[in-house]
Structure formats: structure tokens, C-alpha cells
Amino acid sequence: SSPVWANDIYVTQSGNNLVLDITQSGTGNTIGTLNLPSSLTGAGTDFTIVQNGNTNELTFEVNGNNYTGSFDASGNSNTVTFLCDSGNSSSGCDTVTATINLSGNSNTVSLSIGENDDSTGTTVIKNVTGDSNTITSTIDSPNAEQTLTITGSTNTITNTMDGAGVGEHKLTLSHTGTGGTFNITQEGLENKTISLTTS
């Protein structure tokens, strides 16, 4: 039999108006790591990242405004970490739109937007199919909206939205499955709404 090797990708980009598409297929692939995340600095970036397989790792860090990102992961025991405004306290990560499509079991997703400086507007869409997945979101923005669609059992969802200023926090969560655990925290001065449907 022939050996099958994983591949590792590290992206470091500085500048505006980047369009980036990456697809990885196989087992044990990485795009950045927790010790050395792939990073983008600049404004007006549009990126799509696809990983197909098991035990893949994606760690991505963005500093700058006006980002549209899509992460698609299919398989089991994958890890997705997305940080926005992690290392630059003045970037703000304004107008962020992130879509995460996750299919498989025992996957871990961690999303942090506006860590050091509030995002002025954030939209996050998560579609999750599978069992025993862990999804953690922390958004610091006065104006943020999240939509989570979950199909599966024993998934754990932790969602925190805060940030002072004019705007509102909206969470729509649709869940079908057994044994889901949801921890939801919303803080701020303006309207806070939760629409929750479970089965």
C-alpha cells in the first residue's frame, strides 16, 4: 500500500480586497494551528474554506473590516477556530458575515468576533448536522445576528453576545434531535431577542 500524507497550509496576507478559496480533502490536514494561525490583515476580504475528511484542523485569524467568510467542514473529529480582531485593538472587524456549514460527529467549532474592539455589525449563520458536536460563539458587537440550524443529538451550543451601543442582538436557533445542551447569554443596552425551536 502507498502512504497517504496530510497537507498543511499557512496563510499570511496583508492588504485589501482579497478573494481566497481553499479546498482540502483527506485526513489530518491543517490550515493554520492554535500556535500559528493563518491570518488576514486588511479590508474587503472574501474567503471560502472547505475541508473534507476527518481530524482536520482550521485556525484562522482576521484583523480588519468588511469580511465575508464561509467555512465548510464535513467529517468527524474536526476542529474549526475563527478569530476576528484578535491581535489588533483598532481594527474592529466591522461588518462581518460568517457562514459555517458543519456535517459530521464530534467536531469542535470556536468563533470569536470583536475580541479587542467591538464589531459594529455581525451576521453569523451556522448549519450543523451530526452528533456530539461542540459549538462556541462569542461576539462583541452592539449589533449582531446569529442563525443556528442544528440536526443531531447530544450537541452542545454556547452562545454569548454582548457589546454596548446602538443596535440589537438577535439569535434564531432551530434544533431537531435528542439531548442538546444550549447556553445562551445576551448583554447590552438595546433589544435582545431569542427565537428558539426544539424537537
Side-chain angles (χ1 to χ4, degrees):
S1 62
S2 300
V4 178
W5 303 101
N7 66 79
D8 302 325
I9 297 174
Y10 295 91
V11 178
T12 303
Q13 160 73 16
S14 180
N16 299 331
N17 302 317
L18 171 70
V19 177
L20 174 67
D21 297 300
I22 298 175
T23 299
Q24 284 181 316
S25 297
T27 299
N29 299 307
T30 64
I31 301 177
T33 64
L34 288 176
N35 293 327
L36 184 62
S38 289
S39 64
L40 300 177
T41 302
T45 296
D46 189 330
F47 55 87
T48 301
I49 297 176
V50 179
Q51 287 183 319
N52 300 314
N54 301 323
T55 64
N56 295 308
E57 180 178 357
L58 166 63
T59 307
F60 221 81
E61 182 177 297
V62 168
N63 290 296
N65 299 328
N66 305 321
Y67 279 88
T68 300
S70 175
F71 303 98
D72 295 346
S74 61
N76 302 322
S77 303
N78 296 304
T79 301
V80 176
T81 303
F82 176 58
L83 311 173
C84 196
D85 189 31
S86 180
N88 186 343
S89 61
S90 63
S91 66
C93 269
D94 297 338
T95 318
V96 177
T97 301
T99 302
I100 297 175
N101 298 310
L102 183 66
S103 176
N105 303 322
S106 303
N107 296 298
T108 301
V109 174
S110 178
L111 176 74
S112 297
I113 295 177
E115 292 181 282
N116 291 324
D117 193 25
D118 285 358
S119 166
T120 57
T122 297
T123 301
V124 177
I125 300 170
K126 301 190 191 82
N127 300 305
V128 179
T129 302
D131 302 327
S132 302
N133 295 300
T134 300
I135 316 295
T136 303
S137 301
T138 303
I139 297 177
D140 193 349
S141 172
N143 191 33
E145 182 173 354
Q146 288 198 77
T147 302
L148 284 75
T149 303
I150 302 164
T151 303
S153 302
T154 61
N155 294 299
T156 300
I157 310 299
T158 302
N159 188 87
T160 302
M161 303 166 73
D162 59 16
V166 178
E168 62 179 333
H169 295 147
K170 295 175 65 177
L171 173 66
T172 302
L173 197 157
S174 248
H175 164 251
T176 300
T178 304
T181 300
F182 308 106
N183 303 296
I184 300 170
T185 303
Q186 290 180 331
E187 299 177 352
L189 299 176
E190 300 293 330
N191 294 337
K192 297 167 284 292
T193 61
I194 297 172
S195 299
L196 180 64
T197 303
T198 64
S199 177

